[in-house]
Amino acid sequence: MSAITLRVNGKPIALDVDPSTPLLWVLRDHLGMTGTKYGCGIAECGACTVHVNGEAVRSCQLPIEYVAGAEVVTIEGLSENGDHVLQKLWVEMNVPQCGYCQTGILMATAAMLAHVKKPTDKDIDTYITNICRCGTYPRVRAAIHRATDTPGT
Amino acid sequence: MEQVKINRRTFLVTATAFAGGMSLSLAAPAARAASISGEPWLSNAGGVEFSPWIAIAPDDTVIIRVATPEIGNGTVTQTPMNVTEELACDWSKVRVEFASPRRDYLENQVYSKAGWMPFFAGHATDSDRMKIALQIGASARERLKAAAAHQWNVQVADIEARNSVLTHVPTGRKLRYGEVAAKAATIQLKAEPTLKPQSEWTFLGKASPAKLNLPEIVRGSAVYGLDVRLPGMVYAALLQSPVQGGRLKSHDPGAVLKMPGVRAVVVVDPSKTKGIPASDKANYKLYYGLAETAVQSAVAVIADHYWQAKKALDALPVVWEPGPGADWKSSEQIYDAAMAVLDKPATKVLHTAGDVNAVTDPPTLDLRYLTPYCDSAPLEPLNGTAVVTPDKVEVWHPAQDPQQAWWVAVDETGLAPDKVYFHQTYVGGAFGRRVLANDVRMVVAVAKEYPGVPVHVIWSREEMTRQGRYRTLIATRFQAHLDGQGMPQVWKAQACLTGPIMVAASFADSPYVVGGAIPNVQIGTSDLPMHILTGAYRGPWYNSFVFMVETFIDECALTAKADPLAYRLKLLANWDPAWSKCLQVAADKAGWGKPLPRGQGQGIAVAAWPTAGLRQTGTIICAVATVEVSPDGVLKVKSIDVAFDCGRVANRDAVAAQLEGGAIHSLNMSLNEEITVRNGAVVEGNFDQYPMLRMGDIPPRITIHFDALSDHDRFGIVGEAPIGPIGPAVGNAIFQATGKRMRTTPFRKHDLTWT
Ligand code: FES
Ligand code: FES
């Protein structure tokens, strides 16, 4: 095994791990960053969403060897003090219930906004395909519209 | 209350039990809102303890201990709000942490003697618990006032408490709560203060503050069970007998022990459960003795990291002795067996009225319904962390009932209760799945086999889905005679149950029955014992029976050529008027009765949780669903209108959130969810086979209407109520749109095409 290097939330990281280890488990178990969640492990639920070179990616299905040299941003790096506009609105609009899915949804939403400044409902449906068992979808949608000053249905 | 005495004994107890408390200062300065930490079990907040529930620090910080876990229903916010209302403290000074079940046990049930299972996450903020919290606040406030009166040598009656400040009204002198907390904690009231009338509330019902744990959630710093990290911790990947009740026959650890990071392969043997030490047994009973809470035969691979453990487990050669469960070849075989049970008379009668044999004609309707096994599927997979040594066990766990979980941990190890420590983490959804504590038992059972080191046990999603404590599969047969007006004269109902049920909610106690609208009734059950383990699923049993009964009532109405709303109103005419009100409000808001184009339809259903058969209890709830089905059978739920009556609401936004989420849960359960069986083992493993609605599948409009609230002062619980009526409302709407009747769930398995 040789060391794999990448940047996580702006910091250079060098790891000596099985190259098939999914990024999710590297973040959680090797780097101790537990804001990125495990929900399914098969890229279905989106709880593990992070940004790799600016794109939303489901880290549970991404072997670490494919991320060598990449720039990874996790929920811990989304903002300096948890004060990203989405994080603030999520609190103000009482979006989370159990909250377990929400870091993944926040990361997916932040990545969407990098592409689509003024998302329509259709855009939201296309970009945010995460699972929330608590059923917070209507609030997620409302918070996105508020954050982007766009009309909802 | 005017007169108080300083009780020296109380003072000594307080000072000894919480030595150092008075001199401890708080780590964090008080933020603008109340707060809770990312690790809410850490009890280093300090403060002077007034009771095990509440402590106040010299800087005015109020530490409130909440026994009920936070599973997404807002209990760590609502409970301290209730305390704050009476304590009259500054909301921004409140800090919340979880109460310890171990302390409860060791200190003569200081928490659980307060009332109905305070650690149980169901019914989290019901009115009984609300009263307890209000009383805790009122009591502390009066002791603070008494301490100030003592210090100023004035009458208590002249002191006003507001916003964490005590004011002597005649002179305007002021003291902060923190300044008199030490004294106040030594004071015993002669009698408990009377709670103020709800009309004088200034906080509850007025404010909808954001939930306290949200800042931790959105930063990713809220520690769920899966996020516990301890020095030296190792990871375990788990595999239980694929056929529940089966046994490990053989395995070959040698094949994987040399894989990277692998430390051990351990075997979990149900016979190694030690049991509660005999002398301690009498104190807690709970439900830990049920078969459903027992450990299943299992193997686990322990490694430095989870991925290593998982890879090795996948490579581990294992042979199981599946046991008799394997004789069930398919779900169809189980469904047929359940239906066959319904061909014979019920073995147990739950309710009778009149004489079901009064009419000798064949029944007008003789219909059968079935709801399958379902998995609660919270998004955080089952997990837990434990370190076991010969004289101490420590557990970090996302329990749905920490009291039960702690007691099960004691039971699994056989250690004296005082040697078992329990730390409640945040919980990534529960919905009943984490209530039996079979998960914590497995965690401890694995850790026992690898002692001295913290072991973090993770169920993969597949392992969790296939090793459920499922919603009980229920089949029913309803026979009814309708009279000349089309109203039911006789209703003979039988349910075939595949697991134990505690209540036949909304079945035996349906208001159609107990309200007397149907004069001749017999409701019974029979059993089909299965090896598949069952447990609680949001709104246990209610979630099935409401679907069946409300679909059946719809069928009666249409047989009578009556409007389904008018038919229900007639049946409920002499019952708690809140039911009719909910029906009417939901129908009006949804535009009930307006002509719809072909392929569209509206359906209605009404129910109540937790008790349907008593007036003015819990939450009465009605849903109207509007659907569109394309000729090729694609269903679109266009809108859901919900009207409800829980009496009053203390936090409007939190109530709306629970009802919205519950409606979506009910929709998913009815459209999508089915756990099937092949050769005794559960087939579905992950969300690709057990689908979940996503953003784009949600009805464009789900509206929660507050207009049916009766203002009765009960503050009924709302989280489970919507799981009942949304499914049948959609099913009834599908019938209107297509002529196809949904008598089984999930609807996605039905052919909805029409011409
Ligand atoms: S854990 Fe990665 S998508 Fe579910
Ligand atoms: S908030 Fe619980 S899963 Fe989304």
Side-chain angles (χ1 to χ4, degrees):
Chain A
M1 272 192 275
S2 59
I4 293 170
T5 58
L6 67 156
R7 292 174 73 83
V8 178
N9 298 333
K11 285 200 209 77
I13 305 274
L15 291 152
D16 200 6
V17 291
D18 172 353
S20 74
T21 309
L23 173 61
L24 168 68
W25 298 109
V26 171
L27 292 170
R28 292 182 53 83
D29 298 350
H30 294 257
L31 302 178
M33 301 167 72
T34 54
T36 305
K37 305 299 186 193
Y38 166 58
C40 69
I42 61 163
E44 277 281 332
C45 76
C48 62
T49 305
V50 298
H51 298 171
V52 176
N53 298 330
E55 297 292 334
V57 168
R58 295 188 170 175
S59 63
C60 64
Q61 283 280 307
L62 186 61
I64 188 72
E65 59 187 323
Y66 295 159
V67 198
E71 186 79 46
V72 173
V73 177
T74 70
I75 188 70
E76 289 89 350
L78 181 63
S79 64
E80 194 95 322
N81 301 306
D83 53 1
H84 188 283
V85 59
L86 294 174
Q87 288 169 311
K88 286 201 284 195
L89 274 174
W90 250 240
V91 173
E92 190 185 319
M93 297 176 76
N94 258 331
V95 173
Q97 286 192 28
C98 80
Y100 194 77
C101 68
Q102 298 291 340
T103 51
I105 292 184
L106 281 161
M107 295 308 281
T109 305
M112 172 182 75
L113 297 186
H115 290 281
V116 198
K117 296 269 172 282
K118 297 277 178 190
T120 61
D121 279 324
K122 192 122 200 58
D123 292 328
I124 295 172
D125 294 347
T126 308
Y127 279 90
I128 315 299
T129 56
N130 302 44
I131 291 173
C132 173
R133 180 56 153 165
C134 299
T136 64
Y137 302 115
R139 279 167 190 249
V140 169
R141 187 187 298 281
I144 293 172
H145 282 309
R146 175 114 169 257
T148 55
D149 198 18
T150 49
T153 33
Chain B
M1 231 172 23
E2 292 266 293
Q3 287 215 314
V4 295
K5 61 178 170 131
I6 303 209
N7 182 314
R8 186 165 153 74
R9 220 192 114 250
T10 310
F11 175 76
L12 285 176
V13 169
T14 310
T16 318
F18 314 108
M22 288 174 223
S23 60
L24 277 179
S25 62
L26 284 154
R32 266 181 34 250
S35 62
I36 184 163
S37 104
E39 297 170 284
W41 64 88
L42 288 179
S43 185
N44 52 9
V48 192
E49 197 154 301
F50 281 57
S51 77
W53 299 98
I54 189 167
I56 299 179
D59 72 349
D60 291 352
T61 300
V62 177
I63 297 109
I64 296 175
R65 304 213 173 91
V66 175
T68 322
E70 175 60 61
I71 56 173
N73 51 0
T75 170
V76 298
T77 306
Q78 192 59 48
T79 308
M81 280 177 72
N82 296 345
V83 175
T84 296
E85 176 63 58
E86 282 284 350
L87 182 55
C89 62
D90 179 345
W91 177 240
S92 73
K93 303 271 169 67
V94 171
R95 290 195 52 181
V96 184
E97 58 187 37
F98 287 126
S100 156
R102 176 177 174 272
R103 179 174 180 187
D104 183 55
Y105 185 87
L106 296 179
E107 295 181 26
N108 196 22
Q109 309 194 22
V110 284
Y111 297 112
S112 55
K113 74 182 171 201
W116 191 75
M117 294 169 70
F119 287 92
F120 172 52
H123 303 238
T125 54
D126 78 348
S127 43
D128 291 343
R129 291 181 182 183
M130 184 187 218
K131 281 188 202 108
I132 294 168
L134 289 164
Q135 199 68 53
I136 289 164
S139 198
R141 182 199 66 225
E142 287 307 311
R143 289 160 77 187
L144 288 161
K145 282 164 79 172
H150 190 260
Q151 181 156 335
W152 288 324
N153 199 16
V154 299
Q155 291 287 314
V156 169
D158 287 336
I159 295 177
E160 193 180 84
R162 189 182 294 166
N163 227 20
S164 293
V165 176
L166 299 150
T167 305
H168 183 233
V169 179
T171 62
R173 279 178 291 180
K174 289 185 195 302
L175 280 168
R176 292 182 295 103
Y177 282 10
E179 291 178 294
V180 292
K183 169 69 71 74
T186 66
I187 290 172
Q188 252 193 0
L189 300 175
K190 276 195 161 167
E192 274 297 304
T194 311
L195 299 179
K196 57 182 167 177
Q198 291 176 17
S199 56
E200 287 173 23
W201 283 353
T202 55
F203 190 46
L204 292 178
K206 311 283 191 290
S208 293
K211 287 183 281 184
L212 303 186
N213 51 336
L214 298 196
E216 300 290 340
I217 286 173
V218 300
R219 274 199 288 262
S221 52
V223 175
Y224 296 85
L226 214 61
D227 304 332
V228 168
R229 293 292 177 274
L230 299 164
M233 188 176 96
V234 296
Y235 295 77
L238 178 71
L239 185 68
Q240 298 159 80
S241 167
V243 179
Q244 292 188 319
R247 294 276 163 162
L248 180 65
K249 196 166 171 187
S250 65
H251 69 307
D252 179 11
V256 302
L257 277 171
K258 294 216 166 61
M259 288 176 72
V262 172
R263 291 174 167 231
V265 176
V266 302
V267 172
V268 172
D269 178 348
S271 70
K272 285 194 185 170
T273 291
K274 289 274 177 27
I276 305 277
S279 55
D280 294 299
K281 255 185 191 150
N283 292 320
Y284 277 177
K285 294 238 165 26
L286 305 177
Y287 24 91
Y288 80 95
L290 297 175
E292 288 76 7
T293 73
V295 90
Q296 295 284 301
S297 179
V299 286
V301 174
I302 294 174
D304 294 338
H305 296 290
Y306 176 67
W307 186 248
Q308 297 166 330
K310 175 81 172 79
K311 267 182 105 169
L313 183 68
D314 291 346
L316 181 72
V318 188
V319 182
W320 301 97
E321 174 60 58
D327 294 344
W328 292 103
K329 296 294 170 222
S330 69
S331 283
E332 286 65 36
Q333 192 190 354
I334 300 171
Y335 300 159
D336 289 347
M339 288 301 174
V341 167
L342 297 172
D343 292 335
K344 288 177 253 147
T347 53
K348 193 170 152 198
V349 173
L350 300 182
H351 183 92
T352 55
D355 176 12
V356 284
N357 299 316
V359 185
T360 49
D361 299 338
T364 324
L365 294 152
D366 184 351
L367 301 167
R368 292 170 189 241
Y369 304 86
L370 186 141
T371 50
Y373 292 118
C374 290
D375 184 40
S376 293
L379 199 57
E380 180 188 8
L382 296 185
N383 70 88
T385 309
V387 52
V388 177
T389 62
D391 52 8
K392 185 182 177 189
V393 177
E394 196 160 6
V395 180
W396 293 257
H397 191 67
Q400 201 179 345
D401 183 339
Q403 186 182 23
Q404 163 83 3
W406 173 75
W407 194 233
V408 162
V410 175
D411 187 63
E412 186 55 30
T413 59
L415 283 186
D418 67 322
K419 300 200 163 74
V420 180
Y421 294 77
F422 186 88
H423 311 289
Q424 172 69 22
T425 67
Y426 287 110
V427 185
F431 314 113
R433 181 61 187 90
R434 304 182 208 269
V435 91
L436 293 170
N438 66 289
D439 51 351
V440 77
R441 184 187 294 285
M442 178 59 83
V443 169
V444 174
V446 171
K448 257 185 356 187
E449 301 298 325
Y450 200 75
V453 177
V455 183
H456 182 55
V457 184
I458 299 176
W459 280 241
S460 67
R461 169 62 58 185
E462 290 80 4
E463 180 66 7
M464 171 181 177
T465 309
R466 294 187 176 127
Q467 296 294 339
R469 299 295 180 271
Y470 303 101
R471 178 178 88 150
T472 309
L473 186 161
I474 299 176
T476 48
R477 179 182 187 185
F478 297 163
Q479 295 164 284
H481 293 85
L482 306 189
D483 66 13
Q485 272 74 52
M487 301 312 284
Q489 276 304 295
V490 177
W491 184 34
K492 215 171 138 186
Q494 189 192 162
C496 169
L497 308 169
T498 57
I501 72 168
M502 281 190 255
V503 283
S506 284
F507 180 43
D509 71 343
S510 163
Y512 302 126
V513 171
V514 296
I518 308 176
N520 306 297
V521 181
Q522 188 191 87
I523 293 179
T525 59
S526 302
D527 297 312
L528 176 66
M530 289 292 304
H531 67 293
I532 302 278
L533 296 168
T534 57
Y537 181 111
R538 196 173 191 164
W541 315 297
Y542 165 85
N543 55 43
S544 288
F545 287 128
V546 173
F547 166 70
M548 294 161 171
V549 171
E550 284 300 293
T551 305
F552 172 70
I553 292 294
D554 223 66
E555 301 206 54
C556 291
L558 296 177
T559 305
K561 300 203 174 5
D563 170 63
L565 167 65
Y567 195 79
R568 284 177 174 81
L569 290 171
K570 199 166 168 187
L571 280 170
L572 294 165
N574 295 320
W575 184 243
D576 180 355
W579 286 66
S580 300
K581 182 83 183 280
C582 288
L583 281 162
Q584 203 67 65
V585 168
D588 289 351
K589 298 286 181 182
W592 179 264
K594 65 171 184 246
L596 292 171
R598 283 200 63 194
Q600 292 192 23
Q602 282 190 320
I604 194 165
V606 66
W609 175 267
T611 317
L614 299 171
R615 291 161 200 258
Q616 296 190 310
T617 53
T619 294
I620 298 143
I621 183 163
C622 175
V624 173
T626 307
V627 309
E628 183 173 345
V629 184
S630 68
D632 56 351
V634 179
L635 167 71
K636 199 169 166 226
V637 180
K638 292 163 68 84
S639 62
I640 294 174
D641 288 275
V642 173
F644 71 106
D645 178 26
C646 62
R648 292 179 189 166
V649 298
N651 183 337
R652 192 179 166 103
D653 193 54
V655 166
Q658 283 295 302
L659 292 173
E660 284 161 19
I664 291 167
H665 195 157
S666 180
L667 197 59
N668 197 71
M669 178 183 80
S670 311
L671 298 184
N672 282 338
E673 293 180 42
E674 182 182 29
I675 288 289
T676 65
V677 176
R678 192 183 302 139
N679 298 327
V682 166
V683 175
E684 291 71 23
N686 211 319
F687 296 126
D688 52 342
Q689 297 167 299
Y690 196 74
M692 292 282 150
L693 296 171
R694 296 162 202 252
M695 194 74 88
D697 308 316
I698 301 306
R701 190 173 66 73
I702 298 176
T703 313
I704 310 300
H705 302 285
F706 284 71
D707 311 67
L709 284 173
S710 61
D711 201 36
H712 178 259
D713 76 349
R714 68 182 177 274
F715 297 93
I717 53 170
V718 299
E720 286 154 305
I723 202 78
I726 280 77
V730 170
N732 293 338
I734 291 172
F735 181 79
Q736 294 293 343
T738 65
K740 293 195 167 167
R741 182 53 78 179
M742 303 293 105
R743 296 196 183 103
T744 62
T745 63
F747 301 159
R748 75 181 161 98
K749 297 211 170 160
H750 291 258
D751 172 10
L752 300 184
T753 56
W754 56 274
T755 47

